[in-house]
């Protein structure tokens, strides 16, 4: 298992290096003058040239990336070109909000989708139809549509939750719950049915296996077969679906944060990209990839524990 984890970490490190290099190159591909964006249109050519030299923009792109990567390996992601704030400080002030939003949503999606998928696979009937229709609707309608409806109904009309977030990492638990309630509901409603459909298919596949017939022939109850044997065998497929949902949520949470004005890392990335604040954008990319690699590693370890064949795959 240790060799399996080390191999996955090495693959994650390679992924981080490749994504960082590609992102760094693409950020400078537009050819716009970042120094002029910082100084404004009234700046002279001499001032722009001095600013470019100060930021290291007068060096070739590969040299700039090597310098940035060397600092990043020591834990120094630099300073914001616009606010002079440390990149790590800017990200750590936003990352807890985004991670709280994503982790709470994914836990609720996992629990509700597992219960719905198992119920649809074993009882069929109206529950199965609800899962099927919900999966189609969830795939067809983007998450921000649910988000706008929730804001219009529960924030603007019923006034049960705030329409605009004022949450910060130091806020009370009540403030976190009230602020994240609508964004979490929007994400869960949009994601749970499609996940439930995947889990339903995995459970049905296991129920049709020979070992289930053997267990039934031995007089073992359906509840024990379902929760002790079928659910464990179907878990790897369910974990894979939840892992893909997590990666999708981490990327798609930008829109949800915009709709609810949540001060998360997605909003920070959008603002930095718009202004051309390269150090902030690269910091967001690095931390996002690290979170994805760690979560995927945990899912791979769980799959490896449930199914030893995965460790040699």
């Amino acid at each position: 298992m240790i060799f399996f984890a080390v191999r996955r970490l090495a693959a994650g490190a390679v992924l981080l290096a490749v994504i960082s290099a590609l992102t760094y190159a693409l950020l400078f591909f537009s050819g716009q003058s970042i120094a002029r964006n910082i100084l404004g249109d009234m700046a002279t050519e001499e001032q722009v040239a001095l600013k470019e030299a100060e930021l290291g923009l007068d060096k070739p792109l590969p040299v700039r990336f090597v310098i940035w990567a060397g600092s990043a390996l020591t834990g120094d992601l630099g300073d914001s070109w616009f606010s002079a704030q440390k990149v790590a400080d800017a990200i750590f002030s936003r990352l807890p909000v985004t991670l709280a939003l994503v982790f709470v949503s994914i836990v609720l999606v996992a629990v509700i989708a597992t219960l719905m998928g198992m119920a649809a696979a074993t009882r069929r009937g109206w529950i199965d139809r609800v899962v099927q229709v919900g999966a189609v609707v969830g795939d067809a309608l983007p998450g921000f549509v649910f988000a706008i409806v929730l804001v219009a109904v529960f924030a603007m009309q019923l006034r049960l939750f705030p329409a605009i977030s004022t949450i910060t990492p130091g806020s009370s638990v009540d403030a976190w719950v009230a602020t994240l309630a609508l964004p979490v509901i929007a994400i869960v409603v949009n994601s749970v049915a499609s996940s439930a459909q995947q889990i339903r298919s995995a459970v049905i596949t296991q129920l049709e296996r020979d070992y289930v017939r053997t267990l039934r022939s031995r007089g073992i109850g359906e509840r024990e077969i379902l929760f002790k044997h079928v659910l464990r065998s179907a878990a790897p497929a369910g974990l894979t679906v939840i892992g893909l949902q997590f990666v999708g949520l981490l990327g798609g949470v930008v829109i949800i944060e915009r709709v609810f004005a949540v001060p998360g890392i997605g909003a920070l990335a959008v603002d930095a990209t718009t202004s051309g604040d390269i150090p902030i954008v690269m910091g967001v990319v690095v931390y996002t990839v690290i979170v994805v690699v760690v979560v995927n590693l945990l899912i791979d370890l769980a799959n490896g524990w449930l199914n030893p064949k995965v460790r040699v795959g």
Side-chain angles (χ1 to χ4, degrees), residues 115-125 127-128 131 196 200 204:
L115 295 176
M116 289 179 63
M118 292 175 63
T122 56
R123 297 188 178 184
R124 303 296 177 91
I127 297 179
D128 195 16
V131 169
R200 165 192 172 275
I204 288 176

Side-chain angles (χ1 to χ4, degrees), residues 30-194:
S30 64
Q32 64 176 336
S33 176
I34 297 174
R36 182 166 291 284
N37 290 343
I38 297 173
L39 297 175
D41 294 334
M42 302 300 292
T44 63
E45 293 298 329
E46 291 75 13
Q47 290 172 322
V48 171
L50 286 174
K51 192 66 179 179
E52 288 181 343
E54 178 188 344
L55 299 177
L57 298 175
D58 56 339
K59 298 181 176 63
L61 183 60
V63 175
R64 276 182 265 161
F65 177 73
V66 170
I67 294 174
W68 174 85
S71 298
L73 287 174
T74 65
D76 182 12
L77 292 170
D79 301 334
S80 167
W81 285 350
F82 287 81
S83 66
Q85 184 182 19
K86 285 285 185 184
V87 172
D89 294 341
I91 292 175
F92 282 133
S93 67
R94 305 288 194 99
L95 193 58
V97 179
T98 297
L99 290 183
L101 176 60
V102 173
F103 275 113
V104 171
S105 300
I106 205 67
V107 168
L108 289 176
V109 168
V111 173
I112 297 173
T114 300
L115 295 176
M116 289 179 63
M118 292 175 63
T122 56
R123 297 188 178 184
R124 303 296 177 91
W126 67 270
I127 297 179
D128 195 16
R129 289 192 290 274
V130 167
V131 169
Q132 299 287 343
V133 174
V136 174
V137 174
D139 290 338
L141 291 179
F144 72 85
V145 174
F146 292 112
I148 293 174
V149 172
L150 290 174
V151 170
V153 175
F154 293 99
M156 305 300 293
Q157 295 186 8
L158 301 179
R159 299 182 182 280
L160 295 177
F161 299 98
I164 297 177
S165 170
T166 56
I167 193 171
T168 59
S171 301
S172 65
V173 175
D174 293 343
W176 280 73
V177 172
T179 301
L180 295 181
L182 291 184
V184 167
I185 292 173
I187 293 172
V188 171
V189 169
N190 189 243
S191 306
V192 71
S194 59

